[in-house]
Amino acid sequence: MATVTATAPDTRTFAGTAWSWITTVDHKRIAVLYLVTSLAFFMLGGLEALLMRLQLATPESDLVSAERFTELFTMHGTTMVFLALMPLSAAFFNLLVPLMIGARDVAFPRLNALSYWIYLFGGIFMNISFVAGGAPNAGWFGYAPLTDTAFEATHAIDFWAFGLQILGVSSILASINFIVTIINMRAPGMTLNRMPMFVWMSMITAFLIIFAFPAITIGLVLLIFDRYIETNFFIPEGGGDPVLWQHLFWVFGHPEVYILILPAMGIVSEILPTYSRKPLFGYAVVAYSGAAIALVGFGVWTHHMFTVGLGPIADTAFAISTMAIAVPTGVKIFNWIATLYGGSISFKSPMLFAVGMVSMFIIGGLSGVMLGSPPIDSQVQDTYFVVAHLHYVLFGGTVFGLFGGIYHWFPKFTGRFMHDGWGKVHWLLMMIGFNLTFLPQHMLGIDGMPRRVHTYAAEMGFDLWNMMSTVGSLMIGLSFLIFIINALRSIRHGEPSGGDPWDGGTLEWTIPSPPPVYNFAEIPIVDGRYPAWDIKRGGGHTGAVATAPEADAEADEPDIHMPNPSYWPIVMAAGMVLAACGLIFHQAFILLGAVLFGISLLGWIEEPSA
Amino acid sequence: MHKARPSVTRANGDESRPIQGRRSTPLTRNRRIYATLLAPALAVAVLALAACGVTPQTTLEPTTEAARTARDLLMFVFWAMVVTFVLVEGALLYVLIRFRRRSGDGIPAQTHGNTPLEIGWTIAPAILVVVIVVLTVPAIFSNARAAGPDALKVRAIGHQWWFEFQYPDLGVTTANELHLPVNREVEIQLESNDVLHSFWVPSLRGKLDMVPGRENKFTIKPEVTGTFPGQCAEFCGTAHALMKFHVVVETQAEFNAWLQNERTDRVAPASELASEGEANLTLGGCVACHTIRGTDSAGILGPDLTHMGSRKYIAAGILENTPENMRAWLSDPQGVKPGNTMVIPELTTEQLDSLVAYLQGLK
């Protein structure tokens, strides 16, 4: 796909090709790895969801056993959050951040590869549990003390706890990498105030990860202590407090929601201007509201705990902070609509997904305001109303946004279009299927159906809504299948797109597709927020012209210094995950993992940098 | 907003031409588009109405002040959100249709922002949420108010996967069926014996968690007699879905009669078969976990069965208390409620019959 550097192995053989991917440190290839892996996990999480929907289609069904059902909803949530949506966002960070800021790679290319390999191995590690004695089964927020050995003596919870720790390392490393990249490697002239909005949202997301993950890291360490060395942090009999876990989890967990949605908001903030041919309306306000959401997002966590019994003062304080978040969120939406206003809107598939994101996210936001009021929450908390709400945010918002991004930047990845007609079919089916799945779930919650139930009695009156929901979920599954076929076909047979198929405004559209290894033959000088438009429109709206990079520079003989490929990242990641296996299977793995880690660390340090 | 931009050209080859304001569109065409969009919305609404069947666990039929406060707030915020939804999605749809690209469009006017407008739409949602907060806060405090001195006290204890109810001032312990007198204040104290559970009877009040090591309590005053379904609302392990209970709100006289009966020891077996059943309690392993006052059965791990024949449901609110269901439950506890800890040895048909007859007779 992308060209390889002169030092890379021979890609004419299969082994050579595989080796070139294993050792790659090119941000674009790592983006492809992230994309493919996260879509595979997305499919897995989707299959888990479909199994649950089939079980719930009819009352008192026994298609899936109660035990299996608990594994399915735990792994569905965990997979979608940590193995599908976060890494899918990471695919976009990897592809786009360097291209959008006019850099040749990220700040730490090997660290970038390490993040990916840790993610891949961590994801596999967690899913091995299905065939190694039982998958995690305490829900994706794993409330204590159900996670204690007294209630789950198998290793199911250990897979979950170690898996999340491993994935956390990957996320934090990637975040440091992108913060450094964004702060230090922007092309000359690209002030923070001229950064593409997607880069803004990437940076805010990276900061969120760095500040939010330590909370869950600590929580998981304490949980592992409770399970392995019989401490009592969350065990009431020993003086511990299960509510402490909830605080630690949601101090992480609420910002996590913004970690999942902000990248999609960034993508939409790039797509809407492109397809309406207008700059983003209220750029500064959109950036600041993103930052405001992130900041206030750290002060709302107990709205997940309104039914814990923290008392009216705490409930009031957190209801107010939660409501406050509606303001910057609303502002973003109004600014998006104003971006479209007066534009010349073309409805290509990326735009349909972006508009779908805005319209569905609105619903998730509004039901969020309802949940923010503790008396209302006391009724619908832990019911299907919450399931509906969170899917309007994370599916209606994040998934629609990210799919829009895939259709939009697929030509940049591959040099070819995805088929637009099939893209629209995908969108329509997903739109109908999504609403058919999740709209009725609001009613289920209000009618009193708790979440995480593997069955319900016929006389509860839940049948019709559940059947609709299952039919809708099958439509979503079908739409995803159409997407996959479309994508696979388009890689080889899609219509060639050229470097700038959408009349884009940001820097990545000034270079060929797929981009050369070194991205920019000559580092561009930036003089406005939409440098590519400036070039194409000859002065354009900012009244300034960026120095045009040589879009079709001679790729064969670039006198550009690029980082060498390295196999140490994959070795180091393997060492980490092997060590975690040691705590579950056999202690010998710990030693093996530590040795691999040590060797790779030395190798990493000693590796010639050029 | 549509200032004409003379002689804007596009570099990538599209035919470009000056924009002379937006061309007017035939109104009929827009109407048709709006109509197509409206049709499915209406279809959904009709379907929604048609689907309103009987839902006994609904949050929309409150029978206490606490549940009514939550319902009223829910309805108010819901309609406020519906209005917001219609306005915002309407604006979005309008803009999408009005400004769709037409052949010959050039580069539209490049607007970057409008400070007064943006301040305006920052303030608008702020006002809305302030209104909601103002309505919410008194409701939070009224839901949290303490009980008066005359309140009936109940301890509700969550177990995997059933509910224990104790009336500490009345000396009564029962399971899975909470009896309350109508129009009397009740203070329910929530505890857990193992993991997190949540006490939720939508018609009485929103849920409150049962947290091991903590004591939560709330006060309600049931206003309507009847049997109201409730269910554990916090995931508590394998059989979470099957951890249900019922609240029977009855007149003071009915409540007193129930109380009187609960305080007595078990009724002696009325038939020979039932007597055999009592004799089989040990064989069946029942004595290890269950209490039946008046017999040797004094276990404390499972529900008190002294008057279980009088309950409307068995197995934590999931099966009606009929001889057939009792037999099904006793012959395959794991099949009825996966993961539960009830252990019963293989019994002969006669032994099963005797136990069913005995337990049914424990009125």
Short mmCIF file of all heavy atoms in Angstrom, two decimals, chain A residues 450 452-455, chain B residues 57 156-165 176 191-200 210 229-246 314-319 336-338 340:
data_model
loop_
_atom_site.label_atom_id
_atom_site.label_comp_id
_atom_site.label_asym_id
_atom_site.label_seq_id
_atom_site.Cartn_x
_atom_site.Cartn_y
_atom_site.Cartn_z
N PRO A 450 -34.78 -3.90 33.36
CA PRO A 450 -33.40 -3.62 33.74
C PRO A 450 -32.44 -4.04 32.64
O PRO A 450 -32.79 -4.88 31.81
CB PRO A 450 -33.18 -4.49 34.99
CG PRO A 450 -34.50 -5.02 35.38
CD PRO A 450 -35.34 -5.00 34.16
N ARG A 452 -28.76 -5.82 31.46
CA ARG A 452 -27.97 -6.99 31.88
C ARG A 452 -28.82 -8.15 32.38
O ARG A 452 -28.41 -8.88 33.27
CB ARG A 452 -26.97 -6.57 32.97
CG ARG A 452 -26.03 -5.54 32.44
CD ARG A 452 -25.09 -5.02 33.46
NE ARG A 452 -23.96 -4.39 32.77
CZ ARG A 452 -22.95 -3.83 33.36
NH1 ARG A 452 -22.88 -3.82 34.65
NH2 ARG A 452 -21.98 -3.29 32.66
N VAL A 453 -30.02 -8.28 31.84
CA VAL A 453 -30.83 -9.45 32.17
C VAL A 453 -30.77 -10.39 30.97
O VAL A 453 -30.84 -9.94 29.84
CB VAL A 453 -32.28 -9.05 32.49
CG1 VAL A 453 -32.34 -8.30 33.80
CG2 VAL A 453 -32.91 -8.24 31.38
N HIS A 454 -30.62 -11.67 31.25
CA HIS A 454 -30.50 -12.61 30.14
C HIS A 454 -31.88 -13.06 29.64
O HIS A 454 -31.99 -13.71 28.62
CB HIS A 454 -29.66 -13.83 30.53
CG HIS A 454 -30.35 -14.76 31.49
ND1 HIS A 454 -30.36 -14.56 32.85
CD2 HIS A 454 -31.07 -15.89 31.27
CE1 HIS A 454 -31.04 -15.53 33.43
NE2 HIS A 454 -31.50 -16.34 32.50
N THR A 455 -32.92 -12.70 30.39
CA THR A 455 -34.26 -13.08 29.97
C THR A 455 -35.28 -12.18 30.66
O THR A 455 -34.95 -11.42 31.57
CB THR A 455 -34.52 -14.56 30.31
OG1 THR A 455 -35.76 -14.95 29.70
CG2 THR A 455 -34.60 -14.78 31.81
N GLN B 57 -44.45 -3.31 35.22
CA GLN B 57 -43.32 -2.73 35.96
C GLN B 57 -43.02 -1.31 35.50
O GLN B 57 -41.92 -0.80 35.69
CB GLN B 57 -42.10 -3.64 35.78
CG GLN B 57 -41.12 -3.58 36.94
CD GLN B 57 -40.25 -4.81 37.02
OE1 GLN B 57 -40.65 -5.85 37.54
NE2 GLN B 57 -39.04 -4.71 36.51
N ALA B 156 -34.52 -4.44 54.30
CA ALA B 156 -34.51 -5.26 53.08
C ALA B 156 -33.07 -5.68 52.83
O ALA B 156 -32.19 -4.83 52.72
CB ALA B 156 -35.06 -4.47 51.91
N ILE B 157 -32.85 -6.98 52.75
CA ILE B 157 -31.48 -7.48 52.60
C ILE B 157 -31.36 -8.24 51.29
O ILE B 157 -32.13 -9.17 51.03
CB ILE B 157 -31.10 -8.39 53.78
CG1 ILE B 157 -31.27 -7.62 55.10
CG2 ILE B 157 -29.66 -8.89 53.64
CD1 ILE B 157 -31.33 -8.51 56.32
N GLY B 158 -30.43 -7.83 50.45
CA GLY B 158 -30.22 -8.51 49.17
C GLY B 158 -29.32 -9.71 49.34
O GLY B 158 -28.30 -9.66 50.04
N HIS B 159 -29.72 -10.82 48.74
CA HIS B 159 -28.89 -12.03 48.68
C HIS B 159 -28.80 -12.43 47.22
O HIS B 159 -29.71 -12.17 46.45
CB HIS B 159 -29.54 -13.19 49.45
CG HIS B 159 -29.75 -12.95 50.92
ND1 HIS B 159 -28.92 -13.48 51.88
CD2 HIS B 159 -30.69 -12.24 51.59
CE1 HIS B 159 -29.34 -13.12 53.09
NE2 HIS B 159 -30.42 -12.37 52.95
N GLN B 160 -27.74 -13.16 46.84
CA GLN B 160 -27.73 -13.77 45.51
C GLN B 160 -28.69 -14.96 45.56
O GLN B 160 -28.39 -15.94 46.24
CB GLN B 160 -26.33 -14.26 45.17
CG GLN B 160 -25.40 -13.14 44.70
CD GLN B 160 -24.04 -13.69 44.30
OE1 GLN B 160 -23.52 -14.61 44.93
NE2 GLN B 160 -23.44 -13.15 43.26
N TRP B 161 -29.87 -15.03 45.00
CA TRP B 161 -30.56 -14.06 44.23
C TRP B 161 -31.98 -14.00 44.73
O TRP B 161 -32.88 -14.50 44.08
CB TRP B 161 -30.49 -14.43 42.75
CG TRP B 161 -29.11 -14.23 42.20
CD1 TRP B 161 -28.61 -13.04 41.73
CD2 TRP B 161 -28.06 -15.17 42.02
NE1 TRP B 161 -27.31 -13.20 41.29
CE2 TRP B 161 -26.95 -14.50 41.46
CE3 TRP B 161 -27.93 -16.54 42.31
CZ2 TRP B 161 -25.74 -15.14 41.17
CZ3 TRP B 161 -26.72 -17.16 42.02
CH2 TRP B 161 -25.65 -16.45 41.45
N TRP B 162 -32.14 -13.42 45.93
CA TRP B 162 -33.46 -13.27 46.51
C TRP B 162 -33.43 -12.13 47.52
O TRP B 162 -32.36 -11.63 47.89
CB TRP B 162 -33.93 -14.57 47.17
CG TRP B 162 -33.01 -15.08 48.25
CD1 TRP B 162 -31.82 -15.73 48.07
CD2 TRP B 162 -33.20 -14.98 49.67
NE1 TRP B 162 -31.25 -16.04 49.27
CE2 TRP B 162 -32.07 -15.60 50.28
CE3 TRP B 162 -34.20 -14.44 50.48
CZ2 TRP B 162 -31.92 -15.68 51.66
CZ3 TRP B 162 -34.05 -14.53 51.85
CH2 TRP B 162 -32.91 -15.15 52.44
N PHE B 163 -34.60 -11.69 47.93
CA PHE B 163 -34.71 -10.57 48.87
C PHE B 163 -35.24 -11.06 50.22
O PHE B 163 -36.23 -11.78 50.28
CB PHE B 163 -35.67 -9.51 48.33
CG PHE B 163 -35.15 -8.75 47.16
CD1 PHE B 163 -35.36 -9.21 45.87
CD2 PHE B 163 -34.45 -7.57 47.34
CE1 PHE B 163 -34.89 -8.51 44.78
CE2 PHE B 163 -33.97 -6.86 46.25
CZ PHE B 163 -34.19 -7.33 44.97
N GLU B 164 -34.58 -10.64 51.28
CA GLU B 164 -35.06 -10.95 52.62
C GLU B 164 -35.68 -9.67 53.20
O GLU B 164 -35.13 -8.58 53.03
CB GLU B 164 -33.88 -11.40 53.49
CG GLU B 164 -34.27 -11.73 54.92
CD GLU B 164 -33.08 -12.24 55.73
OE1 GLU B 164 -31.98 -12.38 55.16
OE2 GLU B 164 -33.26 -12.46 56.93
N PHE B 165 -36.84 -9.81 53.85
CA PHE B 165 -37.48 -8.64 54.46
C PHE B 165 -37.70 -8.90 55.94
O PHE B 165 -38.33 -9.88 56.32
CB PHE B 165 -38.81 -8.34 53.79
CG PHE B 165 -38.67 -8.03 52.33
CD1 PHE B 165 -39.23 -8.85 51.36
CD2 PHE B 165 -37.95 -6.91 51.91
CE1 PHE B 165 -39.08 -8.58 50.01
CE2 PHE B 165 -37.80 -6.63 50.57
CZ PHE B 165 -38.37 -7.47 49.61
N ASN B 176 -39.01 -12.20 49.68
CA ASN B 176 -39.49 -12.01 48.30
C ASN B 176 -40.91 -11.46 48.18
O ASN B 176 -41.41 -11.31 47.07
CB ASN B 176 -39.39 -13.32 47.51
CG ASN B 176 -37.96 -13.81 47.45
OD1 ASN B 176 -37.04 -13.01 47.40
ND2 ASN B 176 -37.79 -15.12 47.49
N GLU B 191 -29.74 -3.27 52.78
CA GLU B 191 -28.44 -3.88 53.07
C GLU B 191 -28.19 -4.98 52.07
O GLU B 191 -29.09 -5.41 51.35
CB GLU B 191 -28.44 -4.48 54.49
CG GLU B 191 -28.60 -3.45 55.59
CD GLU B 191 -29.03 -4.10 56.90
OE1 GLU B 191 -28.53 -5.21 57.19
OE2 GLU B 191 -29.87 -3.52 57.60
N SER B 192 -26.95 -5.45 52.04
CA SER B 192 -26.66 -6.59 51.18
C SER B 192 -25.85 -7.61 51.94
O SER B 192 -25.01 -7.26 52.76
CB SER B 192 -25.91 -6.17 49.93
OG SER B 192 -25.44 -7.32 49.27
N ASN B 193 -26.10 -8.84 51.63
CA ASN B 193 -25.40 -9.93 52.28
C ASN B 193 -24.16 -10.35 51.50
O ASN B 193 -23.29 -11.01 52.02
CB ASN B 193 -26.36 -11.12 52.39
CG ASN B 193 -25.76 -12.26 53.16
OD1 ASN B 193 -25.29 -12.05 54.28
ND2 ASN B 193 -25.74 -13.44 52.57
N ASP B 194 -24.08 -9.97 50.21
CA ASP B 194 -22.95 -10.44 49.40
C ASP B 194 -22.44 -9.37 48.45
O ASP B 194 -21.51 -8.65 48.77
CB ASP B 194 -23.33 -11.74 48.67
CG ASP B 194 -24.78 -11.76 48.20
OD1 ASP B 194 -25.19 -10.77 47.56
OD2 ASP B 194 -25.49 -12.75 48.46
N VAL B 195 -23.08 -9.25 47.27
CA VAL B 195 -22.60 -8.29 46.29
C VAL B 195 -23.59 -7.12 46.21
O VAL B 195 -24.52 -7.04 47.00
CB VAL B 195 -22.45 -8.94 44.89
CG1 VAL B 195 -21.42 -10.05 44.95
CG2 VAL B 195 -23.78 -9.48 44.40
N LEU B 196 -23.38 -6.23 45.25
CA LEU B 196 -24.32 -5.13 45.07
C LEU B 196 -25.65 -5.66 44.54
O LEU B 196 -25.68 -6.51 43.66
CB LEU B 196 -23.78 -4.11 44.06
CG LEU B 196 -22.49 -3.39 44.37
CD1 LEU B 196 -22.12 -2.50 43.20
CD2 LEU B 196 -22.62 -2.56 45.63
N HIS B 197 -26.73 -5.14 45.08
CA HIS B 197 -28.05 -5.34 44.49
C HIS B 197 -28.71 -3.98 44.47
O HIS B 197 -28.17 -3.01 44.99
CB HIS B 197 -28.88 -6.32 45.33
CG HIS B 197 -28.27 -7.66 45.50
ND1 HIS B 197 -28.31 -8.63 44.53
CD2 HIS B 197 -27.57 -8.20 46.54
CE1 HIS B 197 -27.67 -9.71 44.96
NE2 HIS B 197 -27.21 -9.49 46.17
N SER B 198 -29.90 -3.91 43.90
CA SER B 198 -30.60 -2.65 43.93
C SER B 198 -32.09 -2.91 44.13
O SER B 198 -32.66 -3.79 43.50
CB SER B 198 -30.36 -1.86 42.64
OG SER B 198 -30.79 -0.54 42.80
N PHE B 199 -32.69 -2.15 45.02
CA PHE B 199 -34.10 -2.32 45.37
C PHE B 199 -34.92 -1.41 44.47
O PHE B 199 -34.80 -0.20 44.52
CB PHE B 199 -34.29 -1.94 46.84
CG PHE B 199 -35.69 -2.12 47.36
CD1 PHE B 199 -36.01 -3.24 48.12
CD2 PHE B 199 -36.68 -1.17 47.13
CE1 PHE B 199 -37.29 -3.40 48.63
CE2 PHE B 199 -37.96 -1.33 47.62
CZ PHE B 199 -38.27 -2.44 48.38
N TRP B 200 -35.76 -2.02 43.63
CA TRP B 200 -36.49 -1.19 42.67
C TRP B 200 -37.90 -1.70 42.47
O TRP B 200 -38.12 -2.79 41.94
CB TRP B 200 -35.75 -1.18 41.32
CG TRP B 200 -36.34 -0.22 40.33
CD1 TRP B 200 -36.90 0.98 40.58
CD2 TRP B 200 -36.40 -0.41 38.91
NE1 TRP B 200 -37.31 1.58 39.42
CE2 TRP B 200 -37.02 0.76 38.38
CE3 TRP B 200 -36.00 -1.41 38.04
CZ2 TRP B 200 -37.23 0.91 37.01
CZ3 TRP B 200 -36.21 -1.25 36.68
CH2 TRP B 200 -36.82 -0.09 36.17
N MET B 210 -28.34 -1.65 47.14
CA MET B 210 -28.04 -2.37 48.38
C MET B 210 -26.55 -2.66 48.33
O MET B 210 -26.08 -3.44 47.50
CB MET B 210 -28.85 -3.66 48.43
CG MET B 210 -30.35 -3.42 48.21
SD MET B 210 -31.24 -4.95 47.96
CE MET B 210 -32.30 -4.93 49.40
N PRO B 229 -44.86 -5.30 41.15
CA PRO B 229 -43.63 -6.05 40.91
C PRO B 229 -42.39 -5.18 41.09
O PRO B 229 -42.39 -3.99 40.79
CB PRO B 229 -43.77 -6.50 39.46
CG PRO B 229 -44.66 -5.49 38.83
CD PRO B 229 -45.56 -4.97 39.91
N GLY B 230 -41.34 -5.81 41.60
CA GLY B 230 -40.04 -5.15 41.72
C GLY B 230 -38.97 -6.10 41.28
O GLY B 230 -39.21 -7.29 41.10
N GLN B 231 -37.78 -5.60 41.11
CA GLN B 231 -36.72 -6.43 40.54
C GLN B 231 -35.37 -5.85 40.93
O GLN B 231 -35.23 -4.63 41.04
CB GLN B 231 -36.88 -6.43 39.01
CG GLN B 231 -35.92 -7.34 38.29
CD GLN B 231 -36.38 -7.61 36.86
OE1 GLN B 231 -37.40 -7.10 36.40
NE2 GLN B 231 -35.61 -8.41 36.14
N CYS B 232 -34.39 -6.71 41.11
CA CYS B 232 -33.03 -6.22 41.36
C CYS B 232 -32.56 -5.48 40.12
O CYS B 232 -32.72 -5.97 39.01
CB CYS B 232 -32.07 -7.37 41.65
SG CYS B 232 -30.37 -6.79 41.84
N ALA B 233 -31.97 -4.30 40.32
CA ALA B 233 -31.60 -3.49 39.17
C ALA B 233 -30.09 -3.28 39.06
O ALA B 233 -29.64 -2.55 38.19
CB ALA B 233 -32.30 -2.14 39.23
N GLU B 234 -29.31 -3.90 39.93
CA GLU B 234 -27.86 -3.79 39.79
C GLU B 234 -27.31 -5.17 39.52
O GLU B 234 -27.61 -6.10 40.28
CB GLU B 234 -27.25 -3.21 41.06
CG GLU B 234 -25.76 -2.94 40.99
CD GLU B 234 -25.40 -1.84 39.99
OE1 GLU B 234 -25.56 -0.66 40.33
OE2 GLU B 234 -25.00 -2.19 38.87
N PHE B 235 -26.53 -5.30 38.45
CA PHE B 235 -26.06 -6.63 38.06
C PHE B 235 -25.37 -7.31 39.25
O PHE B 235 -24.47 -6.75 39.86
CB PHE B 235 -25.10 -6.54 36.88
CG PHE B 235 -24.55 -7.87 36.49
CD1 PHE B 235 -25.40 -8.86 36.03
CD2 PHE B 235 -23.20 -8.14 36.59
CE1 PHE B 235 -24.90 -10.11 35.68
CE2 PHE B 235 -22.70 -9.39 36.25
CZ PHE B 235 -23.55 -10.37 35.79
N CYS B 236 -25.83 -8.52 39.56
CA CYS B 236 -25.36 -9.19 40.77
C CYS B 236 -24.95 -10.62 40.51
O CYS B 236 -24.90 -11.43 41.42
CB CYS B 236 -26.45 -9.12 41.84
SG CYS B 236 -28.02 -9.82 41.31
N GLY B 237 -24.66 -10.96 39.27
CA GLY B 237 -24.21 -12.31 38.95
C GLY B 237 -25.20 -13.04 38.06
O GLY B 237 -26.17 -12.46 37.56
N THR B 238 -24.95 -14.33 37.89
CA THR B 238 -25.61 -15.12 36.86
C THR B 238 -27.13 -14.96 36.82
O THR B 238 -27.71 -14.74 35.77
CB THR B 238 -25.28 -16.61 37.06
OG1 THR B 238 -23.87 -16.71 37.20
CG2 THR B 238 -25.75 -17.44 35.89
N ALA B 239 -27.79 -15.10 37.98
CA ALA B 239 -29.26 -15.12 37.98
C ALA B 239 -29.87 -13.75 38.24
O ALA B 239 -31.03 -13.65 38.67
CB ALA B 239 -29.77 -16.14 38.99
N HIS B 240 -29.11 -12.70 37.96
CA HIS B 240 -29.60 -11.33 38.19
C HIS B 240 -31.00 -11.10 37.62
O HIS B 240 -31.86 -10.49 38.25
CB HIS B 240 -28.59 -10.36 37.58
CG HIS B 240 -29.08 -8.96 37.44
ND1 HIS B 240 -29.50 -8.22 38.52
CD2 HIS B 240 -29.22 -8.16 36.36
CE1 HIS B 240 -29.87 -7.02 38.10
NE2 HIS B 240 -29.72 -6.95 36.80
N ALA B 241 -31.23 -11.63 36.42
CA ALA B 241 -32.53 -11.40 35.76
C ALA B 241 -33.67 -12.07 36.53
O ALA B 241 -34.83 -11.73 36.34
CB ALA B 241 -32.49 -11.93 34.33
N LEU B 242 -33.33 -13.05 37.37
CA LEU B 242 -34.36 -13.84 38.04
C LEU B 242 -34.47 -13.48 39.52
O LEU B 242 -34.96 -14.25 40.33
CB LEU B 242 -34.06 -15.33 37.87
CG LEU B 242 -33.91 -15.75 36.40
CD1 LEU B 242 -33.50 -17.20 36.28
CD2 LEU B 242 -35.23 -15.50 35.65
N MET B 243 -33.99 -12.29 39.87
CA MET B 243 -34.06 -11.86 41.26
C MET B 243 -35.16 -10.80 41.35
O MET B 243 -34.93 -9.62 41.17
CB MET B 243 -32.71 -11.28 41.69
CG MET B 243 -32.70 -10.81 43.13
SD MET B 243 -31.03 -10.41 43.64
CE MET B 243 -31.36 -9.55 45.17
N LYS B 244 -36.36 -11.29 41.60
CA LYS B 244 -37.51 -10.40 41.61
C LYS B 244 -38.22 -10.47 42.95
O LYS B 244 -37.91 -11.32 43.78
CB LYS B 244 -38.48 -10.80 40.52
CG LYS B 244 -37.91 -10.72 39.13
CD LYS B 244 -39.01 -11.06 38.17
CE LYS B 244 -38.64 -10.76 36.76
NZ LYS B 244 -39.87 -10.69 35.96
N PHE B 245 -39.17 -9.60 43.14
CA PHE B 245 -39.99 -9.67 44.35
C PHE B 245 -41.27 -8.89 44.11
O PHE B 245 -41.44 -8.27 43.05
CB PHE B 245 -39.23 -9.13 45.56
CG PHE B 245 -38.91 -7.65 45.52
CD1 PHE B 245 -39.54 -6.76 46.37
CD2 PHE B 245 -37.95 -7.17 44.65
CE1 PHE B 245 -39.24 -5.40 46.34
CE2 PHE B 245 -37.63 -5.82 44.63
CZ PHE B 245 -38.28 -4.94 45.48
N HIS B 246 -42.19 -8.98 45.06
CA HIS B 246 -43.44 -8.25 44.91
C HIS B 246 -43.71 -7.48 46.19
O HIS B 246 -43.34 -7.93 47.27
CB HIS B 246 -44.60 -9.21 44.62
CG HIS B 246 -44.50 -9.82 43.27
ND1 HIS B 246 -43.69 -10.92 43.01
CD2 HIS B 246 -45.08 -9.49 42.09
CE1 HIS B 246 -43.78 -11.22 41.73
NE2 HIS B 246 -44.61 -10.38 41.15
N ILE B 314 -42.93 -18.05 43.98
CA ILE B 314 -41.79 -18.76 44.55
C ILE B 314 -40.54 -18.46 43.73
O ILE B 314 -40.62 -17.85 42.67
CB ILE B 314 -42.02 -20.29 44.60
CG1 ILE B 314 -42.32 -20.82 43.20
CG2 ILE B 314 -43.14 -20.62 45.58
CD1 ILE B 314 -42.33 -22.35 43.15
N ALA B 315 -39.39 -18.90 44.25
CA ALA B 315 -38.10 -18.74 43.57
C ALA B 315 -37.79 -17.28 43.29
O ALA B 315 -37.34 -16.91 42.21
CB ALA B 315 -38.04 -19.57 42.29
N ALA B 316 -38.03 -16.42 44.28
CA ALA B 316 -37.77 -14.98 44.18
C ALA B 316 -38.60 -14.33 43.08
O ALA B 316 -38.08 -13.69 42.17
CB ALA B 316 -36.29 -14.67 43.99
N GLY B 317 -39.91 -14.51 43.19
CA GLY B 317 -40.83 -13.74 42.35
C GLY B 317 -40.89 -14.16 40.91
O GLY B 317 -41.45 -13.42 40.09
N ILE B 318 -40.34 -15.33 40.55
CA ILE B 318 -40.34 -15.65 39.12
C ILE B 318 -41.38 -16.69 38.73
O ILE B 318 -41.72 -16.80 37.55
CB ILE B 318 -38.94 -16.09 38.62
CG1 ILE B 318 -38.45 -17.32 39.37
CG2 ILE B 318 -37.95 -14.96 38.76
CD1 ILE B 318 -37.18 -17.90 38.76
N LEU B 319 -41.88 -17.49 39.69
CA LEU B 319 -42.90 -18.49 39.35
C LEU B 319 -44.11 -18.31 40.25
O LEU B 319 -43.95 -18.07 41.45
CB LEU B 319 -42.35 -19.91 39.55
CG LEU B 319 -41.21 -20.38 38.66
CD1 LEU B 319 -40.74 -21.75 39.12
CD2 LEU B 319 -41.64 -20.42 37.21
N VAL B 336 -34.39 -23.89 36.58
CA VAL B 336 -35.28 -22.75 36.78
C VAL B 336 -34.49 -21.48 37.02
O VAL B 336 -34.81 -20.41 36.51
CB VAL B 336 -36.23 -23.03 37.96
CG1 VAL B 336 -37.05 -21.80 38.30
CG2 VAL B 336 -37.14 -24.21 37.64
N LYS B 337 -33.41 -21.61 37.78
CA LYS B 337 -32.66 -20.41 38.16
C LYS B 337 -31.17 -20.73 38.13
O LYS B 337 -30.58 -21.13 39.13
CB LYS B 337 -33.08 -20.00 39.57
CG LYS B 337 -32.69 -18.61 39.93
CD LYS B 337 -33.26 -18.27 41.29
CE LYS B 337 -33.38 -16.81 41.49
NZ LYS B 337 -34.09 -16.50 42.71
N PRO B 338 -30.56 -20.55 36.96
CA PRO B 338 -29.17 -20.96 36.79
C PRO B 338 -28.24 -20.25 37.78
O PRO B 338 -28.40 -19.05 38.02
CB PRO B 338 -28.84 -20.53 35.36
CG PRO B 338 -30.08 -20.00 34.76
CD PRO B 338 -31.13 -19.90 35.79
N ASN B 340 -28.01 -20.64 41.01
CA ASN B 340 -28.40 -20.49 42.41
C ASN B 340 -27.80 -21.60 43.26
O ASN B 340 -27.37 -22.64 42.77
CB ASN B 340 -29.93 -20.42 42.53
CG ASN B 340 -30.57 -21.77 42.71
OD1 ASN B 340 -30.62 -22.30 43.80
ND2 ASN B 340 -31.03 -22.33 41.60
#
